[in-house]
Amino acid sequence: QMLSGVKSKEFGGELGREEINIILKIVLAQNPHFAAVYTGWEPGAFDPLGRGYANEEGHDETGRYIPCWYRDENGSIALRPLENYDKEGIGDYYLLPKRTEHEYISDPFMGKVQEKPEWITSLIVPIIVNVTLRGIVGIDVRLNIVNEYIDNVKNLYEGTGEIFVFSHNGTLAGATGKPELTGKHIKDIRKDWEKDIEYIRKGKTIAEADENHLAVFTPAKIGKTTSWSVNVLVPSEKITQAA
């Protein structure tokens, strides 16, 4: 909203590259669970100065406004240009929200935070000004924050419940008490995974019970993206205990 507003004539005045860079840097500095904060604009969409910025810090040879603020190996906040934004597959973080003009959440992937491998997911929003797409803005979120949230199950049937968060393609983004499972595919941890992944991909809310557990799948949607799913397992004996 902010980045689309700075280029809208309705609000008057514009912020330049340096001012937006300061804002992005502050957002990263104040959010330790973010691995990176970035924006990427179509050629000439931010300003007409691309040629003059070619190969300057935070730019590639095109001079497009594509800054990515990240944490380097020392934990300091550093700047680099976005990469591979025009390549199918590896550049989906830019190309998919550009095509659909909708939010995009990536499946978990192994990235680097301070040069150390870590599971990350990207949250991207298109920048639209007067119904015209100008670019994208996004954050890379460290998935350890998911495990921090779902490890707190002390109020879920006396701490006996378990929570699993799956991405749209069935990759595990977090599991109660089992951070080592992050990044595993559902087929590696569930016997009847074909049925479960169907629930996930179709965004279904399902409750099933067997002799040991009650299992509930409920969709988690972010904007107009494909849904993820939260799966809660509770021991059957805890549910029937009062009876």
Side-chain angles (χ1 to χ4, degrees):
Q1 291 172 336
M2 187 273 294
L3 289 181
S4 63
V6 300
K7 292 300 173 183
S8 174
K9 294 180 180 179
E10 177 184 354
F11 298 104
E14 292 189 0
L15 298 181
R17 300 187 184 208
E18 290 74 17
E19 291 84 1
I20 298 299
N21 273 342
I22 291 172
I23 293 171
L24 297 176
K25 187 176 181 181
I26 290 172
V27 171
L28 180 60
Q30 294 185 351
N31 290 276
H33 288 297
F34 293 175
V37 178
Y38 45 89
T39 187
W41 291 66
E42 290 287 277
F46 189 84
D47 58 33
L49 307 175
R51 185 172 298 178
Y53 279 99
N55 294 315
E56 293 291 319
E57 184 183 18
H59 300 78
D60 60 15
E61 66 279 0
T62 67
R64 290 169 64 169
Y65 186 47
I66 49 172
C68 175
W69 290 93
Y70 69 102
R71 291 185 170 86
D72 65 17
E73 64 274 14
N74 299 315
S76 300
I77 294 177
L79 176 63
R80 65 176 179 235
L82 291 176
E83 299 175 344
N84 304 310
Y85 50 82
D86 56 352
K87 296 180 180 178
E88 295 290 338
I90 195 170
D92 282 353
Y93 73 93
Y94 189 92
L95 297 176
L96 290 182
K98 175 183 174 180
R99 288 191 196 120
T100 64
E101 298 189 358
H102 291 160
E103 300 93 337
Y104 168 73
I105 178 170
S106 74
D107 289 301
F109 63 91
M110 182 61 75
K112 286 188 176 182
V113 180
Q114 297 180 219
E115 292 302 310
K116 296 179 181 179
E118 194 166 324
W119 287 99
I120 292 170
T121 190
S122 298
L123 304 170
I124 316 290
V125 177
I127 300 169
I128 299 175
V129 181
N130 299 326
V131 306
T132 300
L133 183 129
R134 299 292 188 93
I136 60 97
V137 61
I139 57 174
D140 286 351
V141 180
R142 305 166 66 184
L143 285 179
N144 58 5
I145 191 175
V146 176
N147 277 301
E148 288 182 17
Y149 280 125
I150 64 179
D151 279 349
N152 183 18
V153 293
K154 60 184 178 182
N155 295 322
L156 186 59
Y157 287 91
E158 300 174 354
T160 61
E162 294 180 280
I163 302 173
F164 298 82
V165 179
F166 292 99
S167 74
H168 187 70
N169 77 347
T171 300
L172 191 64
T176 300
K178 300 172 183 175
E180 71 278 3
L181 294 182
T182 300
K184 295 281 188 182
H185 193 269
I186 192 171
K187 67 182 179 182
D188 298 322
I189 58 176
R190 297 283 175 84
K191 291 182 179 180
D192 55 351
W193 65 274
E194 292 97 339
K195 180 176 60 176
D196 291 344
I197 200 169
E198 181 181 353
Y199 300 155
I200 296 169
R201 290 178 175 169
K202 291 185 177 181
K204 288 185 175 181
T205 298
I206 297 291
E208 295 182 332
D210 59 27
E211 60 183 17
N212 297 315
H213 292 91
L214 171 69
V216 177
F217 283 86
T218 190
K221 292 189 71 67
I222 300 175
K224 296 180 180 179
T225 65
T226 52
S227 63
W228 284 27
S229 184
V230 178
N231 174 212
V232 180
L233 293 179
V234 179
S236 301
E237 62 181 23
K238 286 293 180 181
I239 299 172
T240 59
Q241 192 174 51

